[in-house]
Amino acid sequence: MSNTLEITNLNVSIGDKQILKDFSLTIPKGEVHAIMGPNGTGKSTLAKAIAGHPDYEITSGEVLLDGESILDMEPDERSRAGLFLAFQYPMEIPGVSIANFIRAAKNARLSEDEELNAPAYYKELYEKMDMLQIDRKFTARSVNDGFSGGEKKRCEILQMAMLQPSYAVLDETDSGLDIDALKVVSEGVNTLRGDNLGVLVITHYQRLLDYIVPDVVHVMYDGRIVKSGDKNLALELESKGYDWVKELAPAGA
Ligand code: ADP
Ligand code: MG
């Protein structure tokens, strides 16, 4: 289907351990889906497998971005195709400033005869940094180098705001954020919401979903989705904890 990020029967292993088990999920553009689940269930594995991380072996299944398979694409091709990943543990890139990093990523999206307009680029960068309440002195700082947890997460959303992907997967973007930073980051994501963006928010806690209100909530356990519902499902999980979720897994799993 076009205008969707469609994951079908995805099986993913790390070494000889199978993590994702016939995992299926379709995210239409314009919708925000949330995945919640206990630690170790495979949420980050899903994000990294979609991104094309080399440690995660896809043994079968399909991932279609607007109807086209991305599984044979390199991670940078997937990014140029419109996919964005915000990692649970963002990488530090000493020696590469935020401004140059995002500029290189934007340049990579232009054709050979196009050139990025530097003043327009900085204008956009500063506007979006202001939106995310990131101090302008960060422009010259190396990507994530010595950043606090919250600063890294804001920096990830800044990249997303600048690259304007079609689909964004945000892996525990709330971890390490205090309540003020959580609000800022959520507002940033909400500003980017719209008909041209599909979002998958991965979180362990319901709190984030008070600010980024999802259209659909999925509960993940042991490598697969065991229940889906509306935003109230997140509240149910919050009050009941994750223990009852185990009983929803298929027998013998
Ligand atoms: P979640 O994000 O839901 O907490 P993960 O996807 O990080 O779960 O992990 C799922 C399972 O895969 C866990 O058992 C974890 O120990 C294992 N795992 C994740 N990454 C690796 C890795 N790089 N090498 C080996 N095992 C891994
Ligand atoms: Mg994780």
Side-chain angles (χ1 to χ4, degrees):
M1 229 197 319
S2 62
N3 281 318
T4 59
L5 179 64
E6 190 177 358
I7 304 160
T8 318
N9 293 329
L10 201 64
N11 285 287
V12 176
S13 302
I14 311 168
D16 53 12
K17 189 175 170 197
Q18 186 178 3
I19 310 291
L20 294 191
K21 299 169 181 170
D22 279 329
F23 183 97
S24 296
L25 173 65
T26 297
I27 301 161
K29 252 181 220 167
E31 292 188 8
V32 174
H33 288 224
I35 287 187
M36 299 182 70
N39 286 327
T41 253
K43 302 184 299 297
S44 293
T45 298
L46 172 69
K48 289 179 190 169
I50 297 173
H53 193 296
D55 291 351
Y56 297 76
E57 192 199 346
I58 295 176
T59 51
S60 64
E62 189 51 276
V63 180
L64 302 176
L65 191 155
D66 292 340
E68 237 184 282
S69 178
I70 60 168
L71 293 183
D72 288 332
M73 294 182 185
E74 294 297 324
D76 62 307
E77 287 178 86
R78 298 182 193 205
S79 167
R80 289 199 299 275
L83 193 65
F84 179 84
L85 257 299
F87 292 106
Q88 183 170 1
Y89 302 107
M91 253 188 25
E92 302 185 0
I93 316 178
V96 180
S97 73
I98 291 185
N100 283 338
F101 180 70
I102 298 176
R103 192 169 164 170
K106 290 205 40 118
N107 257 323
R109 284 162 168 71
L110 300 175
S111 61
E112 268 177 36
D113 52 348
E114 282 177 305
E115 216 180 312
L116 199 70
N117 177 307
Y121 167 72
Y122 277 97
K123 184 170 178 283
E124 186 188 356
L125 183 66
Y126 289 144
E127 275 170 14
K128 291 180 173 166
M129 288 175 80
D130 289 348
M131 172 182 83
L132 292 161
Q133 296 179 17
I134 300 171
D135 197 295
R136 290 200 183 172
K137 67 174 188 285
F138 272 79
T139 346
R141 285 187 59 181
S142 295
V143 178
N144 292 324
D145 192 15
F147 288 19
S148 72
E151 287 164 350
K152 285 181 183 172
K153 300 293 161 135
R154 283 183 207 208
C155 182
E156 296 273 292
I157 302 303
L158 175 66
Q159 290 167 38
M160 173 180 160
M162 291 296 289
L163 296 178
Q164 295 175 303
S166 315
Y167 301 95
V169 179
L170 310 179
D171 190 7
E172 301 215 15
T173 291
D174 48 339
S175 70
L177 296 185
D178 60 31
I179 194 78
D180 292 329
L182 185 73
K183 283 182 188 165
V184 171
V185 162
S186 303
E187 264 169 42
V189 174
N190 287 331
T191 309
L192 302 171
R193 274 176 98 153
D195 293 347
N196 296 319
L197 177 67
V199 183
L200 179 61
V201 178
I202 296 172
T203 181
H204 184 75
Y205 298 104
Q206 186 270 335
R207 191 179 69 153
L208 176 71
L209 305 181
D210 283 337
Y211 300 100
I212 303 173
V213 179
D215 298 293
V216 188
V217 174
H218 308 278
V219 183
M220 190 168 167
Y221 181 74
D222 193 25
R224 48 166 75 85
I225 288 173
V226 292
K227 195 175 170 71
S228 300
D230 64 13
K231 61 180 195 273
N232 293 315
L233 182 55
L235 296 169
E236 196 179 341
L237 274 174
E238 180 80 350
S239 64
K240 289 198 202 165
Y242 279 117
D243 274 353
W244 63 285
V245 166
K246 293 175 189 155
E247 284 148 35
L248 301 171

